[in-house]
Amino acid sequence: LSRTLQALENEGEKVVIVGPVPEVSAYVPEALAKQRYFGIRKDIRPALPEFNRRQGFVLGVLTDVARKYPVTVLYPHRVLCPEAHCMVEQNGYALYADANHLSTHGAGLLTREMEAAF
């Protein structure tokens, strides 16, 4: 990563790195549909402390490269996890297309940060 970032810096390229997205323990669209259809109230939201524990190494690396190179790092969890748990739906829309990839609606929540980075 350092060699790549150094080469991009040498070329004068603008670099934006998107950090990890919190993983959900269930296939989100299916789980939300079952909740609505069957009235099941199972909380599938990832816990922010668990995300931080699992992704601690990656988050540390991103912090280090942001200190050493002229890069912008976007942290999706800062938007998706406003409290102790991360959101999986908003206004009736699933924020994930599966268990760990954002849906169009989920990615849309990052629009402001993405636009500011460019």
Side-chain angles (χ1 to χ4, degrees), residues 16-99:
V16 178
I17 299 172
V18 180
V21 172
E23 300 161 321
V24 183
S25 63
Y27 184 82
V28 174
E30 180 181 353
L32 294 176
K34 285 180 179 179
Q35 286 180 6
R36 286 196 183 100
Y37 186 75
F38 296 113
I40 299 169
R41 293 291 163 223
K42 181 180 177 189
D43 190 359
I44 62 169
R45 297 174 303 157
L48 182 56
E50 176 64 12
F51 167 79
N52 286 326
R53 185 191 67 73
R54 289 176 52 107
Q55 297 296 331
F57 175 77
V58 173
L59 296 171
V61 168
L62 294 177
T63 299
D64 288 345
V65 298
R67 285 188 195 128
K68 294 176 186 173
Y69 300 97
V71 301
T72 300
V73 180
L74 304 180
Y75 296 96
H77 72 282
R78 293 181 180 169
V79 174
L80 297 169
C81 310
E83 297 177 4
H85 285 86
C86 306
M87 301 181 297
V88 294
E89 76 172 309
Q90 187 179 59
N91 300 325
Y93 292 99
L95 300 181
Y96 288 78
D98 53 25

Coordinates of all heavy atoms in Angstrom, one line a residue, residues 16-99:
V16 N -8.3 8.9 -2.8 CA -9.3 8.8 -1.8 C -9.5 7.3 -1.5 O -9.7 6.5 -2.4 CB -10.7 9.3 -2.3 CG1 -11.8 9.1 -1.3 CG2 -10.5 10.8 -2.7
I17 N -9.4 6.9 -0.2 CA -9.5 5.6 0.2 C -10.8 5.5 1.0 O -11.1 6.3 1.9 CB -8.3 5.1 1.1 CG1 -7.0 5.2 0.3 CG2 -8.6 3.7 1.7 CD1 -5.8 5.0 1.2
V18 N -11.6 4.5 0.7 CA -12.9 4.2 1.4 C -12.6 3.1 2.4 O -12.2 2.0 2.0 CB -14.0 3.9 0.5 CG1 -15.3 3.6 1.2 CG2 -14.3 5.0 -0.6
G19 N -12.8 3.4 3.6 CA -12.6 2.4 4.7 C -13.6 1.3 4.7 O -14.5 1.3 3.9
P20 N -13.5 0.4 5.7 CA -14.4 -0.7 5.7 C -15.9 -0.3 6.1 O -16.1 0.6 6.8 CB -13.8 -1.6 6.8 CG -13.0 -0.7 7.7 CD -12.5 0.4 6.8
V21 N -16.8 -1.1 5.6 CA -18.2 -1.0 5.9 C -18.5 -2.0 7.0 O -18.1 -3.2 6.9 CB -19.0 -1.2 4.6 CG1 -20.5 -1.3 4.9 CG2 -18.7 -0.1 3.6
P22 N -19.3 -1.7 8.0 CA -19.7 -2.7 9.0 C -20.4 -3.9 8.4 O -21.2 -3.7 7.5 CB -20.6 -1.9 9.9 CG -20.2 -0.5 9.7 CD -19.8 -0.3 8.3
E23 N -20.0 -5.0 8.8 CA -20.6 -6.3 8.3 C -21.8 -6.6 9.2 O -21.8 -6.5 10.4 CB -19.6 -7.4 8.3 CG -18.3 -7.1 7.5 CD -17.2 -8.0 7.9 OE1 -17.0 -8.3 9.1 OE2 -16.5 -8.4 7.0
V24 N -22.8 -7.2 8.5 CA -24.0 -7.6 9.2 C -24.0 -9.1 9.3 O -23.6 -9.7 8.4 CB -25.3 -7.0 8.5 CG1 -26.5 -7.4 9.3 CG2 -25.2 -5.5 8.3
S25 N -24.5 -9.6 10.4 CA -24.5 -11.1 10.5 C -25.6 -11.8 9.7 O -25.8 -13.0 9.9 CB -24.6 -11.5 12.0 OG -25.9 -11.0 12.5
A26 N -26.4 -11.1 9.0 CA -27.5 -11.6 8.2 C -27.6 -11.0 6.8 O -27.0 -9.9 6.6 CB -28.8 -11.4 8.9
Y27 N -28.2 -11.7 5.9 CA -28.5 -11.1 4.6 C -29.6 -10.1 4.8 O -30.8 -10.4 5.0 CB -28.9 -12.2 3.6 CG -29.1 -11.8 2.2 CD1 -28.1 -11.7 1.4 CD2 -30.4 -11.6 1.8 CE1 -28.3 -11.3 0.0 CE2 -30.6 -11.2 0.4 CZ -29.5 -11.1 -0.4 OH -29.7 -10.7 -1.7
V28 N -29.2 -8.8 4.8 CA -30.1 -7.7 5.2 C -31.5 -7.7 4.5 O -32.5 -7.6 5.2 CB -29.4 -6.4 5.2 CG1 -30.3 -5.2 5.5 CG2 -28.2 -6.4 6.1
P29 N -31.6 -7.7 3.2 CA -32.9 -7.5 2.6 C -33.8 -8.7 3.0 O -35.0 -8.4 3.3 CB -32.6 -7.6 1.1 CG -31.2 -7.1 0.9 CD -30.5 -7.6 2.2
E30 N -33.3 -9.9 3.1 CA -34.1 -11.0 3.5 C -34.5 -10.9 4.9 O -35.7 -11.2 5.3 CB -33.4 -12.3 3.3 CG -34.1 -13.6 3.7 CD -33.4 -14.9 3.4 OE1 -32.3 -14.8 2.9 OE2 -33.9 -15.9 3.9
A31 N -33.6 -10.6 5.8 CA -33.9 -10.4 7.2 C -34.9 -9.3 7.5 O -35.9 -9.5 8.3 CB -32.6 -10.1 8.0
L32 N -34.8 -8.2 6.8 CA -35.8 -7.1 6.9 C -37.2 -7.6 6.4 O -38.2 -7.3 7.0 CB -35.3 -5.9 6.2 CG -34.1 -5.2 6.8 CD1 -33.7 -4.0 6.0 CD2 -34.3 -4.8 8.3
A33 N -37.2 -8.3 5.3 CA -38.5 -8.8 4.8 C -39.1 -9.7 5.7 O -40.4 -9.7 6.0 CB -38.3 -9.4 3.4
K34 N -38.4 -10.6 6.3 CA -38.9 -11.6 7.3 C -39.4 -10.9 8.5 O -40.5 -11.2 9.1 CB -37.9 -12.6 7.7 CG -37.6 -13.7 6.6 CD -36.6 -14.7 7.1 CE -36.3 -15.7 6.0 NZ -35.3 -16.7 6.4
Q35 N -38.7 -9.8 8.9 CA -39.2 -9.1 10.1 C -40.5 -8.4 9.8 O -41.4 -8.5 10.6 CB -38.2 -8.0 10.4 CG -36.9 -8.5 11.1 CD -35.9 -7.4 11.4 OE1 -36.2 -6.2 11.3 NE2 -34.8 -7.7 11.9
R36 N -40.7 -7.9 8.6 CA -42.0 -7.2 8.3 C -43.1 -8.3 8.1 O -44.2 -8.1 8.5 CB -41.8 -6.4 7.0 CG -41.0 -5.1 7.3 CD -41.2 -4.1 6.2 NE -40.4 -2.9 6.5 CZ -39.2 -2.7 6.0 NH1 -38.6 -3.5 5.1 NH2 -38.5 -1.6 6.4
Y37 N -42.8 -9.3 7.3 CA -43.8 -10.3 7.0 C -44.2 -11.1 8.2 O -45.4 -11.4 8.4 CB -43.3 -11.2 5.9 CG -44.3 -12.2 5.3 CD1 -45.3 -11.7 4.5 CD2 -44.3 -13.5 5.7 CE1 -46.3 -12.6 4.0 CE2 -45.3 -14.4 5.2 CZ -46.2 -13.9 4.4 OH -47.2 -14.8 3.9
F38 N -43.3 -11.6 9.0 CA -43.6 -12.5 10.1 C -43.6 -11.7 11.4 O -43.9 -12.4 12.5 CB -42.5 -13.6 10.2 CG -42.6 -14.5 9.0 CD1 -41.5 -14.6 8.2 CD2 -43.7 -15.3 8.7 CE1 -41.5 -15.4 7.0 CE2 -43.7 -16.2 7.6 CZ -42.6 -16.2 6.8
G39 N -43.3 -10.5 11.4 CA -43.3 -9.7 12.7 C -42.2 -10.1 13.6 O -42.2 -9.8 14.8
I40 N -41.1 -10.7 13.1 CA -40.0 -11.1 13.9 C -39.2 -9.8 14.3 O -38.9 -9.0 13.4 CB -39.0 -12.0 13.1 CG1 -39.8 -13.3 12.8 CG2 -37.8 -12.3 13.9 CD1 -39.1 -14.2 11.8
R41 N -38.8 -9.7 15.5 CA -38.1 -8.5 16.0 C -36.7 -8.9 16.4 O -36.3 -8.8 17.6 CB -38.8 -7.8 17.2 CG -40.1 -7.2 16.8 CD -39.9 -6.0 15.8 NE -41.1 -5.7 15.1 CZ -41.1 -5.4 13.9 NH1 -40.0 -5.4 13.1 NH2 -42.3 -5.0 13.3
K42 N -35.9 -9.4 15.5 CA -34.5 -9.7 15.8 C -33.6 -8.6 15.3 O -33.7 -8.1 14.2 CB -34.1 -11.0 15.0 CG -32.7 -11.4 15.3 CD -32.3 -12.7 14.5 CE -30.9 -13.0 14.8 NZ -30.4 -14.1 13.9
D43 N -32.8 -8.1 16.2 CA -31.9 -6.9 16.0 C -30.7 -7.5 15.2 O -29.8 -8.2 15.8 CB -31.5 -6.3 17.3 CG -30.8 -4.9 17.0 OD1 -30.6 -4.6 15.8 OD2 -30.4 -4.3 18.0
I44 N -30.5 -7.1 14.0 CA -29.4 -7.6 13.1 C -28.4 -6.5 13.0 O -27.3 -6.7 12.3 CB -29.8 -8.0 11.8 CG1 -30.5 -6.9 11.0 CG2 -30.7 -9.3 11.9 CD1 -30.7 -7.2 9.5
R45 N -28.6 -5.3 13.6 CA -27.6 -4.2 13.5 C -26.3 -4.6 14.1 O -26.2 -5.1 15.2 CB -28.2 -3.0 14.2 CG -29.5 -2.4 13.6 CD -30.0 -1.3 14.5 NE -30.2 -1.8 15.9 CZ -30.2 -1.0 16.9 NH1 -30.1 0.3 16.8 NH2 -30.4 -1.4 18.1
P46 N -25.2 -4.3 13.4 CA -23.9 -4.5 14.0 C -23.6 -3.6 15.1 O -24.0 -2.4 15.1 CB -22.9 -4.2 12.8 CG -23.7 -4.1 11.6 CD -25.1 -3.8 12.0
A47 N -22.9 -4.1 16.1 CA -22.5 -3.2 17.3 C -21.3 -2.5 16.9 O -20.3 -3.1 16.4 CB -22.3 -4.1 18.5
L48 N -21.2 -1.2 17.2 CA -20.0 -0.4 16.8 C -18.8 -0.9 17.5 O -17.7 -1.0 16.9 CB -20.3 1.1 17.1 CG -19.2 2.1 16.8 CD1 -18.8 2.0 15.3 CD2 -19.6 3.5 17.1
P49 N -18.8 -1.2 18.8 CA -17.6 -1.8 19.4 C -17.1 -3.0 18.8 O -15.9 -3.2 18.6 CB -18.0 -2.0 20.9 CG -19.2 -1.1 21.1 CD -19.9 -1.1 19.8
E50 N -18.0 -3.9 18.3 CA -17.5 -5.1 17.6 C -16.9 -4.8 16.3 O -15.9 -5.3 15.9 CB -18.7 -6.1 17.4 CG -18.4 -7.3 16.6 CD -17.4 -8.2 17.3 OE1 -17.1 -8.1 18.5 OE2 -16.9 -9.1 16.6
F51 N -17.5 -3.8 15.6 CA -16.9 -3.4 14.3 C -15.5 -2.8 14.6 O -14.5 -3.2 13.9 CB -17.7 -2.3 13.6 CG -17.0 -1.5 12.5 CD1 -16.9 -2.1 11.3 CD2 -16.4 -0.3 12.8 CE1 -16.2 -1.4 10.2 CE2 -15.8 0.4 11.7 CZ -15.7 -0.2 10.5
N52 N -15.3 -2.0 15.6 CA -14.0 -1.4 15.9 C -13.0 -2.5 16.3 O -11.8 -2.4 15.9 CB -14.1 -0.4 17.0 CG -14.8 0.9 16.5 OD1 -14.6 1.3 15.4 ND2 -15.5 1.5 17.4
R53 N -13.5 -3.5 17.0 CA -12.6 -4.6 17.4 C -12.1 -5.4 16.1 O -10.9 -5.6 15.9 CB -13.2 -5.6 18.3 CG -12.3 -6.7 18.9 CD -13.1 -7.7 19.6 NE -14.0 -8.5 18.8 CZ -13.6 -9.4 17.9 NH1 -12.3 -9.7 17.7 NH2 -14.5 -10.1 17.2
R54 N -13.1 -5.7 15.3 CA -12.8 -6.5 14.1 C -11.9 -5.8 13.1 O -11.1 -6.4 12.4 CB -14.1 -7.0 13.4 CG -14.8 -8.1 14.2 CD -16.1 -8.4 13.5 NE -16.0 -8.7 12.1 CZ -16.1 -9.9 11.6 NH1 -16.3 -11.0 12.4 NH2 -15.9 -10.1 10.3
Q55 N -12.2 -4.5 13.0 CA -11.5 -3.7 11.9 C -10.4 -2.8 12.5 O -9.8 -2.0 11.8 CB -12.5 -2.8 11.2 CG -13.6 -3.6 10.5 CD -13.0 -4.4 9.3 OE1 -12.0 -4.1 8.7 NE2 -13.6 -5.5 9.0
G56 N -10.0 -3.1 13.7 CA -9.0 -2.2 14.4 C -7.7 -2.1 13.6 O -7.1 -1.1 13.5
F57 N -7.2 -3.3 13.1 CA -5.9 -3.3 12.3 C -6.1 -2.4 11.1 O -5.2 -1.5 10.8 CB -5.5 -4.7 11.9 CG -4.3 -4.7 11.1 CD1 -3.1 -4.5 11.6 CD2 -4.4 -4.9 9.7 CE1 -1.9 -4.5 10.8 CE2 -3.3 -4.9 8.9 CZ -2.1 -4.7 9.4
V58 N -7.2 -2.6 10.3 CA -7.4 -1.8 9.1 C -7.5 -0.3 9.4 O -6.9 0.5 8.7 CB -8.6 -2.3 8.3 CG1 -9.0 -1.5 7.2 CG2 -8.4 -3.8 7.9
L59 N -8.3 0.0 10.4 CA -8.5 1.4 10.8 C -7.1 2.0 11.2 O -6.9 3.2 10.9 CB -9.5 1.5 11.9 CG -10.9 1.1 11.5 CD1 -11.8 1.1 12.7 CD2 -11.5 2.0 10.4
G60 N -6.3 1.3 11.9 CA -5.0 1.7 12.2 C -4.1 2.0 11.0 O -3.4 3.0 11.0
V61 N -4.1 1.1 10.1 CA -3.4 1.3 8.8 C -3.8 2.5 8.1 O -3.0 3.3 7.6 CB -3.4 0.0 7.9 CG1 -2.9 0.3 6.5 CG2 -2.7 -1.2 8.6
L62 N -5.1 2.7 8.0 CA -5.7 3.9 7.3 C -5.2 5.2 8.0 O -4.9 6.2 7.4 CB -7.2 3.8 7.2 CG -7.7 2.6 6.3 CD1 -9.2 2.6 6.3 CD2 -7.2 2.8 4.9
T63 N -5.3 5.2 9.3 CA -4.8 6.3 10.1 C -3.3 6.6 9.8 O -2.9 7.8 9.6 CB -5.0 6.1 11.6 OG1 -6.4 5.9 11.8 CG2 -4.5 7.3 12.4
D64 N -2.5 5.6 9.8 CA -1.1 5.7 9.5 C -0.8 6.3 8.1 O 0.0 7.2 7.9 CB -0.3 4.4 9.7 CG -0.2 4.0 11.1 OD1 -0.5 4.8 12.0 OD2 0.1 2.8 11.3
V65 N -1.5 5.7 7.1 CA -1.2 6.2 5.7 C -1.7 7.6 5.5 O -1.1 8.4 4.8 CB -1.8 5.3 4.6 CG1 -1.1 3.9 4.7 CG2 -3.3 5.2 4.6
A66 N -2.8 8.0 6.2 CA -3.3 9.4 6.1 C -2.3 10.4 6.7 O -2.3 11.5 6.3 CB -4.7 9.5 6.8
R67 N -1.5 9.9 7.7 CA -0.5 10.8 8.3 C 0.7 10.9 7.3 O 1.4 11.9 7.3 CB 0.0 10.2 9.6 CG -1.0 10.4 10.7 CD -0.4 10.0 12.1 NE -1.4 9.8 13.1 CZ -1.6 8.8 13.8 NH1 -0.8 7.7 13.7 NH2 -2.5 8.7 14.7
K68 N 1.0 9.9 6.6 CA 2.2 9.8 5.8 C 2.1 10.3 4.4 O 3.0 10.7 3.7 CB 2.8 8.4 5.8 CG 3.2 7.9 7.1 CD 3.6 6.4 7.0 CE 4.0 5.8 8.3 NZ 4.2 4.4 8.3
Y69 N 0.9 10.2 3.8 CA 0.6 10.5 2.4 C -0.5 11.5 2.3 O -1.4 11.6 3.1 CB 0.3 9.3 1.6 CG 1.4 8.3 1.7 CD1 1.4 7.2 2.6 CD2 2.5 8.4 0.9 CE1 2.4 6.3 2.7 CE2 3.6 7.5 0.9 CZ 3.5 6.4 1.8 OH 4.5 5.5 1.9
P70 N -0.6 12.3 1.2 CA -1.7 13.2 1.0 C -2.9 12.5 0.4 O -3.2 12.6 -0.7 CB -1.1 14.2 0.0 CG -0.1 13.4 -0.8 CD 0.5 12.4 0.2
V71 N -3.5 11.7 1.3 CA -4.7 11.0 0.9 C -5.9 11.4 1.7 O -5.7 11.9 2.9 CB -4.5 9.4 1.1 CG1 -3.4 8.9 0.2 CG2 -4.4 9.0 2.5
T72 N -7.1 11.2 1.2 CA -8.3 11.4 2.0 C -8.8 10.0 2.3 O -9.0 9.2 1.4 CB -9.3 12.2 1.2 OG1 -8.7 13.5 0.8 CG2 -10.6 12.4 1.9
V73 N -9.2 9.8 3.6 CA -9.8 8.5 3.9 C -11.2 8.8 4.4 O -11.5 9.7 5.2 CB -9.0 7.9 5.1 CG1 -9.6 6.5 5.5 CG2 -7.5 7.6 4.7
L74 N -12.1 8.1 3.8 CA -13.5 8.1 4.1 C -13.8 6.9 5.0 O -13.4 5.8 4.7 CB -14.4 8.1 2.9 CG -14.1 9.2 1.9 CD1 -15.1 9.0 0.7 CD2 -14.3 10.6 2.5
Y75 N -14.6 7.2 6.1 CA -14.9 6.1 7.0 C -16.4 5.9 7.0 O -17.1 6.6 7.8 CB -14.4 6.5 8.4 CG -12.9 6.6 8.5 CD1 -12.3 7.8 8.4 CD2 -12.2 5.5 8.7 CE1 -10.9 7.9 8.5 CE2 -10.8 5.5 8.8 CZ -10.2 6.8 8.7 OH -8.8 6.8 8.8
P76 N -17.0 5.0 6.3 CA -18.4 4.7 6.2 C -19.0 4.5 7.6 O -20.2 4.9 7.8 CB -18.5 3.5 5.3 CG -17.3 3.6 4.4 CD -16.2 4.1 5.3
H77 N -18.3 3.9 8.5 CA -18.9 3.6 9.8 C -19.3 4.9 10.5 O -20.2 4.8 11.4 CB -18.0 2.7 10.6 CG -16.8 3.3 11.1 ND1 -15.7 3.5 10.4 CD2 -16.5 3.8 12.4 CE1 -14.7 4.1 11.1 NE2 -15.2 4.2 12.4
R78 N -18.6 5.9 10.3 CA -18.9 7.2 11.0 C -20.3 7.7 10.6 O -20.9 8.5 11.3 CB -17.8 8.2 10.7 CG -16.5 7.9 11.3 CD -15.5 8.9 11.1 NE -14.2 8.5 11.7 CZ -13.1 9.1 11.5 NH1 -13.0 10.2 10.6 NH2 -11.9 8.7 12.1
V79 N -20.7 7.4 9.4 CA -22.1 7.7 8.9 C -23.1 6.7 9.3 O -24.2 6.9 9.8 CB -22.1 8.0 7.4 CG1 -23.5 8.2 6.9 CG2 -21.2 9.1 7.0
L80 N -22.7 5.4 9.1 CA -23.6 4.3 9.3 C -23.9 3.9 10.8 O -24.8 3.3 11.1 CB -23.1 3.0 8.6 CG -23.1 3.2 7.0 CD1 -22.3 2.0 6.4 CD2 -24.5 3.3 6.5
C81 N -23.0 4.4 11.6 CA -23.0 4.0 13.1 C -23.1 5.2 13.9 O -22.1 5.5 14.6 CB -21.8 3.1 13.4 SG -21.5 1.7 12.3
P82 N -24.2 6.0 13.9 CA -24.3 7.2 14.7 C -24.3 7.0 16.2 O -24.2 7.9 17.0 CB -25.5 7.9 14.2 CG -26.4 6.7 13.7 CD -25.4 5.7 13.2
E83 N -24.6 5.8 16.6 CA -24.7 5.4 18.0 C -24.0 4.1 18.3 O -23.1 3.8 17.5 CB -26.2 5.3 18.4 CG -26.9 6.7 18.2 CD -28.4 6.6 18.5 OE1 -28.9 5.6 18.9 OE2 -29.1 7.6 18.3
A84 N -24.4 3.4 19.2 CA -23.8 2.1 19.6 C -24.0 1.0 18.6 O -23.2 0.0 18.6 CB -24.2 1.7 21.0
H85 N -25.0 1.1 17.8 CA -25.2 0.1 16.7 C -25.3 0.8 15.4 O -25.6 2.0 15.3 CB -26.5 -0.6 17.0 CG -26.4 -1.6 18.1 ND1 -26.6 -1.3 19.4 CD2 -26.2 -2.9 18.0 CE1 -26.5 -2.3 20.1 NE2 -26.2 -3.4 19.3
C86 N -25.0 0.1 14.3 CA -24.9 0.6 13.0 C -26.3 0.4 12.3 O -27.0 -0.6 12.6 CB -23.9 -0.1 12.2 SG -22.2 0.0 12.9
M87 N -26.7 1.3 11.5 CA -28.0 1.2 10.8 C -27.9 0.2 9.7 O -26.9 0.0 9.1 CB -28.4 2.6 10.2 CG -28.5 3.7 11.2 SD -29.0 5.3 10.4 CE -27.6 5.6 9.3
V88 N -29.1 -0.5 9.5 CA -29.2 -1.4 8.4 C -30.3 -1.0 7.5 O -30.5 -1.6 6.4 CB -29.3 -2.9 8.9 CG1 -28.1 -3.4 9.6 CG2 -30.6 -3.1 9.7
E89 N -31.2 -0.2 8.0 CA -32.3 0.4 7.2 C -32.5 1.8 7.6 O -32.2 2.2 8.7 CB -33.5 -0.5 7.3 CG -34.3 -0.3 8.5 CD -35.7 -1.0 8.5 OE1 -36.4 -0.9 7.5 OE2 -35.9 -1.8 9.5
Q90 N -33.1 2.5 6.7 CA -33.5 3.9 6.9 C -34.7 4.2 6.1 O -34.7 4.0 4.9 CB -32.4 4.9 6.6 CG -32.6 6.3 7.0 CD -31.5 7.2 6.7 OE1 -31.1 7.3 5.6 NE2 -30.9 7.9 7.7
N91 N -35.8 4.8 6.7 CA -37.0 5.1 6.1 C -37.6 4.0 5.2 O -38.1 4.2 4.1 CB -36.8 6.4 5.2 CG -36.3 7.6 6.0 OD1 -36.8 7.8 7.2 ND2 -35.5 8.4 5.5
G92 N -37.5 2.8 5.7 CA -38.0 1.6 5.0 C -37.1 1.0 3.9 O -37.5 0.1 3.3
Y93 N -36.0 1.6 3.7 CA -35.0 1.1 2.7 C -33.9 0.3 3.3 O -33.3 0.8 4.3 CB -34.5 2.2 1.9 CG -35.5 2.9 1.0 CD1 -36.1 4.1 1.4 CD2 -35.9 2.3 -0.2 CE1 -37.1 4.7 0.6 CE2 -36.8 2.9 -1.0 CZ -37.4 4.1 -0.6 OH -38.4 4.7 -1.4
A94 N -33.5 -0.8 2.8 CA -32.4 -1.6 3.2 C -31.1 -0.8 2.8 O -31.0 -0.3 1.7 CB -32.3 -2.9 2.6
L95 N -30.2 -0.6 3.8 CA -28.9 0.1 3.5 C -27.9 -0.9 2.9 O -26.8 -0.4 2.5 CB -28.4 0.8 4.7 CG -29.4 1.8 5.3 CD1 -28.8 2.5 6.5 CD2 -29.8 2.9 4.3
Y96 N -28.2 -2.2 2.9 CA -27.3 -3.2 2.4 C -27.9 -4.0 1.3 O -29.1 -4.3 1.4 CB -26.8 -4.2 3.6 CG -25.9 -3.5 4.6 CD1 -26.3 -2.7 5.5 CD2 -24.5 -3.8 4.5 CE1 -25.5 -2.1 6.5 CE2 -23.7 -3.3 5.5 CZ -24.1 -2.4 6.4 OH -23.3 -1.9 7.3
A97 N -27.1 -4.4 0.3 CA -27.6 -5.3 -0.7 C -27.5 -6.7 -0.3 O -28.2 -7.6 -0.9 CB -26.9 -5.0 -2.0
D98 N -26.7 -7.0 0.6 CA -26.5 -8.4 1.2 C -26.0 -8.2 2.6 O -26.6 -7.3 3.3 CB -25.5 -9.2 0.4 CG -24.2 -8.6 0.1 OD1 -23.8 -7.7 0.9 OD2 -23.5 -8.9 -0.9
A99 N -25.0 -8.9 3.1 CA -24.6 -8.8 4.5 C -23.4 -7.8 4.7 O -23.2 -7.4 5.8 CB -24.2 -10.2 5.0

